[in-house]
Amino acid sequence: MEAALPVTARNKRPAQEEAHRADAGKKKRARYEFDDINEYEMLKEIGEGAFGVVAKARDHRTGETVAVKWIRGGLEGNNDGSGLLPAVVREAGCLAACRGHPGIVQIKTVAAGEDTSGDDLYIVMELFAGGATLRSELATRGRPFSEDEARDAMKQLLEAAEKLHATGTIHRDINPDNILAAAGGELKLCGFGCATPARRVGCPEKPVGMLQYCAPEQLFGLSCYGPEADVWTLGCVMAELLAGEALFTATEEDYMIAERINLRDDIVSMGVEAFDETMLDHVSVAGRELLAGLLAFHSDERLTAAEALEHRWFTGEEDEEVQEEEEVQEEPPAAVELEFPGFESPFAAPAA
Ligand SMILES: Nc1ncnc2c1ncn2[C@@H]1O[C@H](COP(=O)(O)OP(=O)(O)OP(=O)(O)O)[C@@H](O)[C@H]1O
């Protein structure tokens, strides 16, 4: 049966251009061992990616149901590393390096049309049933996660990040849309299209990933950043789970930088004080302390994913102490004295 994904009018190209692309595609195909996409029967569209749709499909050879992420023009690439092909190779490579981890969507193979024209590629993955993401899960509930539910979710996400970072890779686009969610509470990180080797990020013209979840170092346009950026993002996700609404909502980059700098005093004193009086005041001291560690403004002061997993919010250590602290805390302690080294203006150049 023909493996055709839905093709919209805007995807169609003139015949001459199509022939040229097919020729170039054949040469590139020869360099890689791709599976044949014609072996898959496309059943239903289940999501939309940046370069095409994600579909539920059946592998004719095994009868297995899988998810196929269609990357239009995925074979296009240049020797300087630009173009989609290097990005697809990176995405597939990152996923392959994380194979076997329960918190990361499992890649099976990369497929192309063996005997058909076209330069599209297809990442074949395990199908995560249900079709929900953390974003849709939050919307369906219409209420925040309880602290126990958030702890369970964050443990899975931090373990996934720990594994990813141990492979030398950063995701750069963790947000509730890129977290698949099953009814039983199981989560899986997906959307690895922006993943890249840590600290080898070229000077991006603008931050990669959703602005609302970008770490300060990404927003400042630093050319070199690492796994700490993903940890910040996970702090945003944790706050969103516990508050039921996004931590940062601004859309303009400059405004967000300012918003983040203003927030810093709240973050620093978060260990003892609620984030904004009401949003997180129901969260335990240990929970707010962890949040402050994930959302440390300076990346070198931020917890790593592995350190976060050792935090007492997860281990339960000192539970009694936390309880006592909470009981004693009728009056909120005074805010911590703040320093802003190197930040004369919110838009000053970042320290090297
Ligand atoms: N393995 C899977 N099983 C079920 N649904 C999936 C799977 N992978 C992706 N999806 C669905 O497809 C949507 C888009 O997928 P994905 O996040 O990989 O694309 P994307 O957002 O364009 O990512 P990227 O920026 O990496 O290209 C997801 O939000 C999810 O709803």
Side-chain angles (χ1 to χ4, degrees):
M1 191 173 296
E2 197 189 345
L5 283 162
V7 177
T8 61
R10 78 191 145 90
N11 300 328
K12 290 184 184 158
R13 301 190 180 101
Q16 209 182 352
E17 192 189 335
E18 200 64 67
H20 174 73
R21 282 168 185 272
D23 196 41
K26 268 181 208 143
K27 284 186 195 143
K28 280 176 193 139
R29 260 193 290 275
R31 290 218 309 267
Y32 296 94
E33 277 186 29
F34 294 123
D35 195 7
D36 184 359
I37 192 61
N38 294 300
E39 295 289 355
Y40 298 85
E41 179 187 356
M42 300 303 152
L43 301 172
K44 188 180 150 205
E45 187 176 320
I46 50 174
E48 187 144 6
F51 299 99
V53 295
V54 178
K56 178 179 174 181
R58 182 177 298 112
D59 185 338
H60 286 308
R61 295 158 296 190
T62 60
E64 190 185 13
T65 313
V66 294
V68 172
K69 179 171 171 176
W70 175 29
I71 300 157
R72 267 198 314 271
L75 268 169
E76 291 169 13
N78 306 311
N79 291 337
D80 63 0
S82 63
L84 270 181
L85 182 59
V88 179
V89 170
R90 265 200 309 273
E91 177 171 1
C94 290
L95 285 169
C98 295
R99 259 198 195 116
H101 194 279
I104 296 174
V105 75
Q106 301 292 295
I107 187 171
K108 290 182 174 293
T109 186
V110 178
E114 282 294 305
D115 52 3
T116 55
S117 63
D119 48 17
D120 298 347
L121 284 179
Y122 307 83
I123 295 184
V124 182
M125 300 169 278
E126 66 167 338
L127 177 73
F128 195 68
T133 62
L134 205 51
R135 170 107 46 223
S136 65
E137 174 65 21
L138 271 165
T140 308
R141 286 174 180 232
R143 61 165 176 82
F145 277 44
S146 71
E147 197 158 337
D148 282 345
E149 290 168 333
R151 186 182 291 107
D152 180 50
M154 288 308 298
K155 184 163 186 296
Q156 296 180 60
L157 295 174
L158 283 162
E159 281 172 351
E162 183 187 23
K163 168 70 186 180
L164 179 67
H165 296 163
T167 70
T169 305
I170 49 177
H171 188 288
R172 296 201 296 170
D173 193 19
I174 299 176
N175 67 68
D177 289 318
N178 280 336
I179 298 167
L180 301 172
E186 189 193 355
L187 301 178
K188 273 186 204 284
L189 211 48
C190 72
F192 280 70
C194 299
T196 189
R199 304 210 181 278
R200 276 207 239 131
V201 181
C203 236
E205 280 162 25
K206 66 182 191 65
V208 171
M210 280 184 80
L211 283 180
Q212 292 83 355
Y213 298 86
C214 277
E217 60 270 26
Q218 289 176 285
L219 289 179
F220 280 132
L222 291 192
S223 59
C224 214
Y225 52 85
E228 307 86 11
D230 284 346
V231 171
W232 172 281
T233 303
L234 287 170
C236 295
V237 171
M238 178 173 164
E240 190 163 341
L241 291 176
L242 290 164
E245 54 188 283
L247 183 57
F248 298 104
T249 51
T251 50
E252 290 299 322
E253 192 177 327
D254 286 352
Y255 174 54
M256 289 179 69
I257 292 172
E259 189 181 22
R260 235 152 251 198
I261 287 168
N262 292 336
L263 174 75
R264 188 170 180 258
D265 53 353
D266 290 322
I267 301 267
V268 171
S269 56
M270 230 177 204
V272 287
E273 231 181 349
F275 166 63
D276 83 349
E277 311 295 323
T278 54
M279 258 174 98
L280 295 169
D281 59 359
H282 58 290
V283 178
S284 66
V285 172
R288 279 178 274 146
E289 190 183 85
L290 173 62
L291 210 37
L294 301 176
L295 291 169
F297 186 83
H298 289 291
S299 59
D300 55 2
E301 291 168 7
R302 222 168 281 154
L303 294 173
T304 64
E307 284 166 353
L309 285 162
E310 296 290 309
H311 191 272
R312 61 179 179 161
W313 194 55
F314 292 115
T315 62
E317 275 167 34
E318 303 168 284
D319 252 346
E320 284 168 23
E321 203 181 296
V322 173
Q323 238 168 10
E324 276 166 29
E325 265 177 58
E326 282 175 338
E327 276 162 20
V328 173
Q329 267 186 37
E330 279 160 18
E331 290 288 315
V336 176
E337 197 66 39
L338 294 173
E339 285 171 35
F340 288 85
F343 283 104
E344 282 162 15
S345 132
F347 306 109

